[in-house]
Amino acid sequence: MMLDNLWSYCWQVAGLIAGGLAVIRMLRVARPLLFLQVLLGVVLLLPVLQRWERPMMVLPAGPVFAPMAAPAGDWVRVNQPAVNWPVVVMLVLGLGVAARLIWVLVGLMQLRNLRWGAEMVTGDLGVSAEVAGPVTFGWRRPVILVPPAVMAMPSAMREAILAHERAHVRRRDWVFALLEEVILCVLWFHPAVWVLVGRIRLVREQVVDWEASRAAGSREVYVDALLAVAGARMQPYFAPAPPFLRRRQLASRIQSLVEEGDMSRFRLLISYGAAVVLTAGLGYFMTTSFPLAGAPQIQRQGITVHGAELVFGTPAVYPATARRAGVEGPVTLEVTIAGNGEVADARVISGAQELRKAALDAVLQWQFKAGGGVAQVVMEMRAPAEDVRRPKTKVVAITVSPLITGPLAETLRTRLAPFVGQEVTTEMSNVVRRLDSTLVTGIEAKRAGDEVELRVTVERPGTMGGGISVPGRIRVGGAVQAANRMDSTQPEYPPLAKQARIQGTVRFNIGIDRGGGVVAMEVVNGHPLLIPAASEAVKQYRYKPTMLNGQPVEVSTQVDVIFTL
């Protein structure tokens, strides 16, 4: 977006300057210095004077919005471009600005040295062999410096030159020249700005020529003075100060003096008014044709927050029980926000019973703008539209491991039998967990036409470490242990889960040995289609050894693996 805005701004500036210069040329405005100076100011303030486009980003209906935060300690691989062009461009622009500023500062220091080393003839006139031509600078105490060759000229020419420099002093032109240098520092990269500043400097000299020729009392003498300075090859000093003559401007300045004619006040007002109107119209055209783009406006459909600013939130999954019951509608919650913006507490005020838990679980993970307080959230819970490309999943068989025997095996077969022929849900895993929390469910999926056939196996965890809670193994909080992760393993999103648009969190209790490897693992909860991929990822986790009294110890902790689409 930054490069696009820079490109649009360059086109706006180019069009506005080209149009402004064309307008004053077409209207034949004499010495349009004020118009050109205002045009330069408008160019500098153009980003502020226009309305930026802010595209509307409408997030899906329901509480699925914003980025989901990854658990602490997890690393995410992102494919970055080989060259970060926005950074490169900003670096080049910044170096150009710095170089121009250094040039201006060095010039100001040299002007100060010239003033100190000059031989002052009067209070504001000095002679210095270090300057190649007449120059004027200074704000509170302006000074005119001339080379000895000027003082050796006939008195009429010398007075004409000094009349020119005193006109600059009277008009405070050095201040405007310095401001132009600062603008060139900022917009050094745009050739149209250099053209405009060059035009301003020419017109300023033409205005001062007109005043100086009148003060000298003779246009011919003043033209002779210009030619004499040009013939003596008195080059302008490079410092930021308006010189008496730039050789490339000589013809234009003499032509302006020879063809000089005063415009009537009425014609001047009409010309200026027409120039302003035409240039303003052109500016409107350029800013609408090449608009600047601001941050998008985010509109969250189905989410209303009163009393706080929402930063991001985790998705709220529409409950399968609510889908089967055909329940939809709003859920209103009261949220207590901590000082850091996290949700400290939340309670449901109103809403259908089938929707309350999903809404509450989602809100507890939200992040608000820091500051604390109490907010009210209204979440419109609607059943998501069915995707015609979404494959249908069906449980075709449920097998209980031969290692599970006795009444538990019979109870499992009885409780799980109703799920055969149905779509797989987390409720099936919950049934198993309620009967025996140490059991896990495995799923084998096979595509059959437009359906996905699932074969579910209920078994005890493998032989990894013999369990989570063992003597000598200490318990460490999930967030604390996550900070000690050394690897960046990410789970591979199961293709069938992706096709079915299934997302969520799989939670594990794991045991970690003294070397930091995972040696035991059990599933706490999670969608059956996501559990195998999450398990494979967690098995590869590596942690820094946990030290107790200077000795490494085994650890048990909790791990969340998050799947989002």
Side-chain angles (χ1 to χ4, degrees), residues 280-330:
L282 178 62
Y284 177 79
F285 172 77
M286 295 302 298
T287 54
T288 53
S289 300
F290 302 95
L292 302 182
Q297 305 177 66
I298 298 178
Q299 176 180 338
R300 297 184 176 95
Q301 295 182 353
I303 299 292
T304 305
V305 179
H306 301 283
E309 181 180 343
L310 183 62
V311 178
F312 66 82
T314 54
V317 180
Y318 190 81
T321 54
R323 181 195 295 272
R324 288 195 293 267
V327 176
E328 296 181 333

Side-chain angles (χ1 to χ4, degrees), residues 147-161:
V150 171
M151 302 304 293
M153 288 183 175
S155 59
M157 288 186 181
R158 183 175 64 249
E159 290 303 320
I161 293 173

Side-chain angles (χ1 to χ4, degrees), residues 43 49 55-56 71 87 95 143 154 166 170 173 216 254 263-264 339-340 342 348 397 434 440 445 483 487-488 531 565:
V43 164
L49 298 177
M56 181 68 70
V87 174
L95 290 175
V143 63
R166 289 192 176 105
R170 187 170 56 254
D173 282 337
I254 293 178
M263 297 179 67
S264 66
N340 61 0
E342 296 181 355
V348 179
R434 284 194 292 267
V440 296
D487 68 292
S488 57
I531 290 175
L565 294 173

Side-chain angles (χ1 to χ4, degrees), residues 397-418:
I398 299 179
T399 304
V400 177
S401 171
L403 298 177
I404 304 173
T405 59
L408 177 59
E410 293 300 324
T411 303
L412 283 170
R413 293 186 182 97
T414 302
R415 296 282 184 88
L416 295 177

Side-chain angles (χ1 to χ4, degrees), residues 18-19 57 71 105 112 195 257 260 267 276 388 410 421 435 494 514 522:
M57 180 183 293
L105 291 175
R112 182 190 63 179
V195 172
L257 284 170
E260 180 181 304
R267 183 188 169 190
V276 169
V388 297
E410 293 300 324
L435 291 174
R514 292 181 176 87
E522 64 181 18

